[in-house]
Amino acid sequence: MSVIKAEIRSGVYYDSAVLMQLQRSLADLPGVEDAGVIMGTPTNKELLVRVNLVTTEVEQAKENDLVIVVRAGDERAASDALQRVDELLSARKSSIQQDYRPRSLEGAQSMMPDANWVLISVAGRYAAGVAREALRLNKHVFLFSDNVPVEEEISLKAEAAQKGLLVMGPDCGTAMINGIGLGFANKVRRGPIGVVAAAGTGLQQVASRIDQLGGGMTFGIGTGGRDLSEKVGGVTFLMGLDALSRDPDTKVIVLVSKPPSPKVADQVLRVARKAGKPVVVNFIGRTPISRRVGNLFFASGLDDAAALAVELAKSPPVLEVEPDLKLERFAPGQKYLRGLFSGGTLAYEAQHLLTEYVPKVYANAPINKENKLKDSLVSVEHTIVDLGEDEFTVGRLHPMMDNDLRIRRLMEEANDPEVAVILMDVVIGFGSHPDPASELGPAIAEAKAKAKAEKAGRYLEVVVVCTGTEEDPQKLSHQIRQLKQGGAWVETSNEAAVRYAGQIIQALNQPLDEAQSSAAPVDLEILKKPVKAFNVGLESFAENLTAQETPVIQVDWRPPAGGNEKLASILERMKKLSAS
């Protein structure tokens, strides 16, 4: 009958690679059927239960305890295996040729003061402390460690942002800096494409496909999977996007993420619109409305993102100049959009497009039935009204022939101090009003003047899409001229009109977070220097850098106070007191 024996060690620390090797070595010993080497967390102990590697000692182990357990054919084989633990640990050899291993980052700093990166892969409960020490030494951080509390991530990234330093992670598996791979990375040729990714294997897939398609990369900036959550707010993602926007060697930017917070994704896209270069977007789970919006190119998947980036790098597109939204014209409190349409399909498309800019649009003929107006005569927040619906045309001409109802509604909406934009259509052609702009142009001018007079400093933007041709009886150019004389922003594309209106409303409702907008820019001169690094944790990461002929110092790190968190907290407080 098999025998299970365990040994519990407190106050010791080994990285996970060492524990994995120990487990394999124990399992290979004569008479041993299976072995487990874990930290005593509830989840780890549950895994041991499932493979029949549990004893009373294992059940009583604490989270910070090292649990070593073997199942053998008899008592002697089990005991012999446990007695060889220290021998197996000491027998492990490293391929890192380093005469002296410093015990701290400060020690490593004295050996290689111009290092610019610190790679951290220690247990999550210690990782934030090591990262803070790296930031204190003004190093960029590649934080592979997981199980780091989100509050620690927020704090670390806020501190890093003030210094213009990147904290890639926690739980960041991949980065590519100046042709050097950090963590799990691929050898990708240098080239004009930069990637920011809140997705480790997503970054690897896009980077690999870029290389396979003949392209190359400047940087692959990982952020950790939580970076685009609403709590973290995309701090590292936005800093990486800003750095690539300013980098003259990066001609195309690719943004990749696992499902992001809609609010943070919207903010990232607003910033990306100002990058001044093509930006390929692949946010998994976020279905794009259009293939292209200005300088943004929306990909259907990771492979498509890579292919788009390579093509854009080879054949740079002509980028339209972004309109100046002149947000300073609007008064505090102006934040809503009202749409007054005569064309039902145009109204439907407007609702569809606006989902990229605002969370909800009410309508009398809504795409989403949950957004139906209770009263079609009363607008609520962001509202699109199709005045050509049956409810408005009983005993009355269609609004394409009669402007009276729409002009009355225009004046009502202009009186609302929370309205910033009014969106309208003017549809000409046979059967329509013989000269609709002759009435709507002056009405728009009156509405804008009325809004300005009633509220000092208030501004009303009226955006009009004009549908028709020069050969129509009303003549397209004649209509546009009259509408512009009334002060309207006029487009002949419904999508262009809606997107312009949407950009204004989005910007008025979601200004950049103060902490993020005040982040110090990453110093490109330092970022583009050859990688030199300190490695704290998994030696395999240092070995990978050595294989890439990159200078690296492996730090022989141990938890403060031997892993005693209470004592470590006391020592940290004493350290802060002495520093002050």
Side-chain angles (χ1 to χ4, degrees):
M1 184 176 179
S2 298
V3 174
I4 301 174
K5 297 199 71 162
E7 181 178 328
I8 311 299
R9 297 189 178 189
S10 301
V12 298
Y13 176 81
Y14 297 99
D15 72 45
S16 52
V18 172
L19 301 185
M20 178 189 69
Q21 284 197 352
L22 175 59
Q23 178 174 306
R24 289 178 176 175
S25 297
L26 287 171
D28 288 340
L29 292 175
V32 175
E33 299 171 355
D34 201 357
V37 181
I38 57 145
M39 300 305 295
T41 65
T43 301
N44 284 341
K45 290 192 288 186
E46 177 61 29
L47 292 173
L48 292 181
V49 170
R50 294 190 177 192
V51 294
N52 190 25
L53 279 173
V54 67
T55 66
T56 301
E57 299 98 318
V58 172
E59 291 174 345
Q60 294 175 350
K62 299 176 181 177
E63 289 197 7
N64 294 336
D65 290 340
L66 176 61
V67 177
I68 306 168
V69 58
V70 296
R71 185 175 69 243
D74 54 48
E75 181 83 17
R76 181 173 180 177
S79 297
D80 287 349
L82 291 179
Q83 288 175 7
R84 294 194 59 185
V85 167
D86 290 321
E87 173 192 338
L88 294 171
L89 285 171
S90 62
R92 182 179 183 274
K93 292 184 179 180
S94 171
S95 63
I96 301 297
Q97 301 301 314
Q98 192 172 308
D99 295 334
Y100 170 72
R101 291 191 175 191
R103 300 295 295 271
S104 67
L105 287 179
E106 285 189 343
Q109 175 76 355
S110 65
M111 297 171 65
M112 192 162 65
D114 58 342
N116 44 8
W117 287 91
V118 176
L119 284 66
I120 302 170
S121 53
V122 301
R125 60 187 178 278
Y126 305 120
V130 180
R132 282 197 178 84
E133 185 68 9
L135 293 176
R136 189 181 68 79
L137 296 172
N138 294 312
K139 312 295 184 188
H140 293 295
V141 173
F142 175 85
L143 185 52
F144 175 78
S145 306
D146 53 13
N147 293 306
V148 177
V150 68
E151 294 76 19
E152 293 279 29
E153 178 174 355
I154 293 168
S155 174
L156 283 170
K157 290 184 173 179
E159 181 180 345
Q162 291 178 354
K163 295 185 171 187
L165 296 172
L166 295 172
V167 172
M168 299 187 188
D171 201 18
C172 179
T174 304
M176 299 168 195
I177 308 296
N178 296 322
I180 303 300
L182 309 183
F184 303 128
N186 305 94
K187 186 63 176 177
V188 177
R189 70 169 62 87
R190 302 296 297 276
I193 301 170
V195 183
V196 185
T201 51
L203 173 52
Q204 285 190 272
Q205 175 67 13
V206 169
S208 296
R209 290 294 292 148
I210 286 172
D211 185 90
Q212 293 162 16
L213 293 169
M217 289 176 57
T218 51
F219 296 96
I221 298 175
T223 69
R226 286 189 310 215
D227 192 74
L228 288 184
S229 67
E230 194 159 339
K231 282 187 175 181
V232 181
V235 177
T236 301
F237 209 98
L238 289 168
M239 291 178 70
L241 172 56
D242 173 70
L244 295 182
S245 299
R246 290 183 290 111
D247 177 26
D249 295 327
T250 299
K251 306 302 183 185
V252 178
I253 300 171
V254 181
L255 307 180
V256 180
S257 174
K258 288 176 278 193
S261 154
K263 179 179 179 180
V264 180
D266 288 342
Q267 183 174 346
V268 168
L269 294 180
R270 291 204 314 276
V271 175
R273 286 293 300 267
K274 300 175 183 177
K277 56 186 72 173
V279 179
V280 178
V281 182
N282 180 215
F283 290 162
I284 297 170
R286 183 184 172 99
T287 304
I289 300 298
S290 305
R291 180 66 166 174
R292 177 181 179 180
V293 180
N295 67 317
L296 304 184
F297 296 79
F298 292 92
S300 59
L302 299 173
D303 285 2
D304 187 37
L308 262 175
V310 171
E311 181 60 32
L312 290 168
K314 289 179 180 177
S315 304
V318 176
L319 299 181
E320 299 174 359
V321 177
E322 283 289 301
D324 182 0
L325 302 180
K326 299 180 181 177
L327 299 178
E328 68 279 357
R329 299 178 295 180
F330 297 92
Q334 285 191 270
K335 57 185 176 180
Y336 292 133
L337 174 145
R338 302 288 159 78
L340 306 176
F341 282 82
S342 62
T345 304
L346 298 177
Y348 272 119
E349 185 181 52
Q351 292 178 57
H352 180 60
L353 291 168
L354 284 170
T355 59
E356 289 190 12
Y357 301 94
V358 297
K360 190 170 188 176
V361 178
Y362 291 92
N364 64 322
I367 295 175
N368 183 343
K369 300 305 179 185
E370 295 179 359
N371 297 345
K372 185 173 177 59
L373 281 172
K374 290 183 179 180
D375 184 347
S376 298
L377 297 176
V378 181
S379 297
V380 179
E381 298 179 358
H382 307 294
T383 293
I384 297 289
V385 180
D386 175 8
L387 293 165
E389 277 287 287
D390 291 349
E391 60 189 309
F392 290 111
T393 57
V394 177
R396 178 186 293 273
L397 284 173
H398 192 280
M400 287 172 61
M401 294 181 280
D402 180 6
N403 291 313
D404 180 67
L405 182 60
R406 189 148 53 148
I407 289 173
R408 291 176 185 273
R409 188 67 176 261
L410 171 64
M411 297 307 168
E412 288 179 17
E413 302 296 359
N415 283 333
D416 188 337
E418 292 187 305
V419 171
V421 178
I422 294 178
L423 180 63
M424 305 174 67
D425 64 345
V426 172
V427 182
I428 60 175
F430 297 109
S432 293
H433 188 288
D435 190 6
S438 67
E439 297 177 355
L440 288 172
I444 289 169
E446 182 182 346
K448 290 170 70 75
K450 190 175 184 181
K452 185 176 182 181
E454 288 189 357
K455 279 283 183 178
R458 183 166 163 243
Y459 178 78
L460 182 66
E461 182 72 291
V462 180
V463 181
V464 181
V465 54
C466 198
T467 299
T469 72
E470 279 297 287
E471 300 302 318
D472 285 328
Q474 304 89 342
K475 196 172 184 180
L476 180 63
S477 61
H478 179 57
Q479 300 302 306
I480 292 173
R481 183 168 57 254
Q482 293 179 91
L483 292 167
K484 286 185 175 180
Q485 286 173 351
W489 179 285
V490 185
E491 299 280 359
T492 54
S493 158
N494 191 46
E495 180 172 347
V498 175
R499 289 198 181 282
Y500 173 67
Q503 287 177 54
I504 294 174
I505 293 300
Q506 185 182 61
L508 290 173
N509 282 274
Q510 296 180 348
L512 287 178
D513 182 83
E514 289 182 6
Q516 292 164 346
S517 62
S518 63
V522 175
D523 188 330
L524 284 176
E525 186 177 341
I526 294 175
L527 189 64
K528 298 178 81 166
K529 284 184 177 180
V531 173
K532 293 185 178 181
F534 304 148
N535 186 60
V536 185
L538 295 169
E539 287 192 18
S540 59
F541 287 172
E543 292 167 357
N544 293 343
L545 290 175
T546 299
Q548 297 175 80
E549 300 181 349
T550 298
V552 59
I553 291 178
Q554 177 69 34
V555 178
D556 190 16
W557 181 87
R558 292 289 182 271
N564 185 317
E565 294 185 7
K566 187 174 182 179
L567 180 56
S569 178
I570 294 171
L571 292 174
E572 181 63 23
R573 286 200 298 270
M574 292 175 64
K575 185 177 180 180
K576 288 181 179 178
L577 286 172
S578 63
S580 60

